[in-house]
Amino acid sequence: EVQLVESGGGLVQPGGPLRLSCAASGFIFANYWMSWVRQAPGKGLEWVASIKEDGRDKYYVDSVKGRFTISRDNTKNSLSLQMNSLRAEDTAVYYCARAGPAPGTRDYWGQGTLVTVSS
Amino acid sequence: EIVMTQSPATLSVSPGEKATLSCRASQSVTNLAWYQQRPGQPPRLLIYGASTRATGIPARFSGSGSGTEFTLSISSLQSEDFAVYYCHQSNNWPYTFGQGTKLEIK
C-alpha cells in the first residue's frame, strides 16, 4: 500500500525557517517525481515544487523561489522541503504527493502538515 | 503562467441529477487533470489527459474538452460526490490549479 506521511509542520515566526519531511513507503520511491502542494486555510490548491526521480531537476512556483528548497533521499525514501524566510502568506497545509499516470499529475497524497507563520 | 479559470464557483444540484463543471485555460493545454477534494481530505485524482479516468474512479465521472475549454461531468450524483473540484494544468511550469468549484446539495 502506498503511503506518504508528512511531518515537521508547526508554528514559526515570520522570517524563520522550517523543514518539512515526507516518508514514503509501498512503492519504489526512486522511480517517481515527487511534489509539494499547499493549501492556505479555506483556499484552493497551489503547486509549490517538484523534483525529478534522481533529484537533479527541481521546479518551484515563483513565490517561493530562493526561499524554499525541495530535496530527496532515495536511500531513505524521503522527500523534504526546506523553507526559509517564511512569510504569513506561506501559512497552509502542505501536502506531499507522488507523480501519477500522466506528466504532472499526482495520484497519491499524504494527509498534509500544517504550517502557521505568525508572531 | 497559465491561468486556469473555473465556473461556476458554486454549483447546487440535487442527488441523482447531473452536474457539469467548466474549466478554461488562458492558453492551450493538453495535460489537463481534475481533482476532487472532500472536507478534511487531500485531493483525489479523477481525470487526466482531459478525459481518462484514473484508477478506481467510477464511470459516472467523465472529462471532455481540448485546447482551452474543458468540462467535468458527473452523472447521477451520489452523496459522496458533493465536494470541491479543481482543474489543473501540467503543460508548463509553474503548474497551476483553477480556483475550484464547490458542488453542493440542492
Side-chain angles (χ1 to χ4, degrees):
Chain A
E1 178 191 5
V2 173
Q3 285 196 326
L4 298 168
V5 180
E6 302 94 338
S7 60
L11 176 63
V12 59
Q13 290 192 339
L18 200 64
R19 187 177 183 87
L20 304 183
S21 296
C22 172
S25 61
F27 64 102
I28 302 174
F29 182 73
N31 287 356
Y32 290 85
W33 279 78
M34 296 295 296
S35 300
W36 290 97
V37 176
R38 68 184 178 183
Q39 186 168 36
K43 302 297 183 182
L45 301 170
E46 181 181 39
W47 167 80
V48 174
S50 293
I51 186 168
K52 197 176 178 182
E53 295 95 329
D54 60 6
R56 293 183 179 182
D57 291 339
K58 305 174 184 182
Y59 297 88
Y60 301 91
V61 67
D62 283 351
S63 60
V64 308
K65 281 181 183 175
R67 301 189 300 123
F68 289 12
T69 301
I70 188 172
S71 62
R72 65 192 297 161
D73 185 337
N74 287 345
T75 66
K76 297 181 179 179
N77 293 343
S78 177
L79 177 72
S80 296
L81 186 68
Q82 177 67 43
M83 304 185 294
N84 297 329
S85 303
L86 281 161
R87 306 167 180 167
E89 54 265 35
D90 295 318
T91 294
V93 173
Y94 285 73
Y95 295 102
C96 163
R98 189 189 83 164
T105 60
R106 295 157 204 92
D107 59 355
Y108 284 93
W109 299 64
Q111 288 298 311
T113 187
L114 176 62
V115 172
T116 303
V117 184
S118 175
S119 56
Chain B
E1 172 178 319
I2 299 178
V3 177
M4 308 300 289
T5 304
Q6 292 185 241
S7 62
T10 303
L11 182 61
S12 299
V13 184
S14 299
E17 294 189 342
K18 179 179 179 178
T20 303
L21 290 66
S22 297
C23 174
R24 173 177 292 177
S26 62
Q27 57 186 270
S28 182
V29 299
T30 53
N31 294 332
L32 189 284
W34 289 93
Y35 292 85
Q36 175 195 66
Q37 189 178 32
R38 297 171 176 145
Q41 294 295 313
R44 173 192 182 197
L45 178 64
L46 298 176
I47 300 285
Y48 62 92
S51 61
T52 303
R53 277 190 302 277
T55 301
I57 302 303
R60 65 179 181 274
F61 291 89
S62 63
S64 62
S66 64
T68 61
E69 301 284 342
F70 301 91
T71 299
L72 174 69
S73 298
I74 314 170
S75 64
S76 189
L77 281 163
Q78 308 295 304
S79 58
E80 62 266 29
D81 299 335
F82 292 95
V84 180
Y85 292 83
Y86 296 93
C87 62
H88 173 60
Q89 71 80 21
S90 53
N91 265 68
N92 294 347
W93 305 100
Y95 293 166
T96 47
F97 289 90
Q99 79 279 17
T101 290
K102 182 179 181 180
L103 181 57
E104 64 177 27
I105 299 175
K106 185 175 181 179

